[in-house]
Amino acid sequence: MNAFDFLTPPRRGKPRKNGITMVLDKGMGIKTARDLMEISSDYVDFIKFGWGTLPLHRRDAVMEKIEMYRSFDVEAYPGGTLFEIAYLNDKIQEYFDEARSLGFETLEISNGTVEIETDEKCELIEKAVNEGFQIISEVGKKDPVRDRLLSPEDRVELVRADLKAGACMVLMEARESGHNIGIYDENGNVKEEEFNHLLNELPQDRIIWEAPQKNQQVYFILKIGPDVNLGNIPPEEITALETIRRGLRGDTLGKVNL
Ligand SMILES: O=C(O)[C@H](CS(=O)(=O)O)OP(=O)(O)O
């Protein structure tokens, strides 16, 4: 039983379809990662090994880490940039084979940096699904100038195309920083009008909002509810985010219903 158990409502346990938390692993050592899971794995659904960090670590260390996360019912997957690098090098099949042999069952497919047309991205999602992977796709560009060219209507269309192609969920790009990109302005505040359009048009149980900053997490929880799907959470913020979901922090105390 948890400490002060009587002071917090329970949240739906894993596996869950809503209230998903995706955490960004930028290359943590296994001891640190295991420590973190021992205290907070109940609050984590996915771990993303950020961008191209994986090729810098030994295969056996990566395999051990994937296994360790899985033993806590946390699904680890490589960042979309690594997939884009494989695409750029014409090594997609090798990428799938290596991912499978390392133990990955989920992959991210994105076109945030490398130019991949929507139709081709959808074909790649279909191919990856046929290879037996669960696919999380991502919509948005990493360069703010290119990202700004996407209207809210474009984003809706792109999300729908990815879901139709077989993605189980779609990440809304916000990078590790969470400002000046997607629905966020230069200060990391949500651009309400754009966000409202996405909120009305998209199935919320299939969207993961990248929300690395606390003010963003609070915004989504107050606006959509404690069971909103959130991503790019820094590892040290896992417990803090869960307190916000449950009304255990001033920002949401008395304002959330589980
Ligand atoms: O898309 C993302 O949020 C991440 C992190 S960042 O954009 O490099 O800051 O990229 P990914 O390649 O999916 O890990």
Side-chain angles (χ1 to χ4, degrees):
M1 186 188 282
N2 285 351
F4 300 102
D5 199 45
F6 51 93
L7 293 181
T8 179
R11 204 158 75 80
R12 194 176 298 136
K14 297 191 290 183
R16 56 193 152 219
K17 285 196 153 79
N18 294 300
I20 280 172
T21 296
M22 179 269 274
V23 171
L24 201 51
D25 179 333
K26 301 197 280 180
M28 277 186 290
I30 186 142
K31 287 188 194 140
T32 307
R34 186 179 285 118
D35 246 18
L36 204 58
M37 290 300 101
E38 270 164 11
I39 195 146
S40 58
S41 65
D42 283 354
Y43 317 127
V44 183
D45 302 86
F46 291 104
I47 290 275
K48 161 148 71 172
F49 291 120
W51 49 99
T53 51
L54 283 173
L56 301 186
H57 292 159
R58 286 194 329 273
R59 292 184 86 252
D60 60 330
V62 170
M63 290 164 91
E64 192 185 352
K65 225 164 141 190
I66 297 168
E67 250 328 290
M68 182 278 292
Y69 279 131
R70 194 161 283 140
S71 73
F72 286 98
D73 295 320
V74 172
E75 178 71 2
Y77 70 90
T81 302
L82 196 61
F83 164 81
E84 294 180 42
I85 294 168
Y87 173 88
L88 201 58
N89 287 282
D90 203 13
K91 297 263 187 240
I92 290 294
Q93 191 57 52
E94 290 88 337
Y95 181 75
F96 290 154
D97 294 344
E98 172 73 341
R100 185 180 295 109
S101 125
L102 286 168
F104 286 114
E105 293 175 4
T106 300
L107 296 178
E108 181 178 319
I109 292 194
S110 58
N111 54 357
T113 309
V114 175
E115 202 50 61
I116 309 175
E117 292 301 324
T118 307
D119 284 354
E120 193 174 7
K121 184 185 179 200
C122 288
E123 281 167 25
L124 289 161
I125 292 173
E126 278 172 31
K127 184 172 164 50
V129 169
N130 289 335
E131 291 269 340
F133 292 106
Q134 161 170 270
I135 297 303
I136 298 177
S137 75
E138 187 175 58
V139 163
K141 301 291 177 193
K142 296 202 189 295
D143 171 4
V145 176
R146 286 174 67 215
D147 189 68
R148 235 170 277 135
L149 299 175
L150 293 174
S151 67
E153 290 77 14
D154 292 333
R155 288 182 210 273
V156 167
E157 221 172 279
L158 293 169
V159 169
R160 287 184 180 151
D162 286 1
L163 290 175
K164 193 160 170 238
C168 66
M169 301 192 95
V170 181
L171 287 160
M172 301 307 288
E173 174 73 89
R175 304 217 56 188
E176 186 197 4
S177 61
H179 59 77
N180 202 17
I181 193 142
I183 54 160
Y184 302 119
D185 67 16
E186 302 71 26
N187 300 316
N189 295 317
V190 174
K191 295 191 256 178
E192 293 262 354
E193 207 176 307
E194 295 194 14
F195 171 67
N196 283 336
H197 181 78
L198 301 181
L199 186 60
N200 292 333
E201 295 295 323
L202 295 175
Q204 289 310 304
D205 56 337
R206 310 287 297 277
I207 303 295
I208 303 176
W209 300 95
E210 290 191 343
Q213 299 181 18
K214 180 197 156 203
N215 68 309
Q216 298 164 347
Q217 297 154 17
V218 169
Y219 177 90
F220 285 116
I221 288 165
L222 290 178
K223 181 99 179 177
I224 301 181
D227 272 338
V228 63
N229 302 323
L230 298 174
N232 281 12
I233 305 304
E236 65 278 13
E237 297 297 332
I238 296 169
T239 299
L241 168 60
E242 189 67 18
T243 63
I244 298 169
R245 287 190 190 275
R246 298 212 200 177
L248 291 168
R249 196 167 186 177
D251 311 80
T252 55
L253 201 166
K255 298 178 187 161
V256 283
N257 283 317
L258 269 164

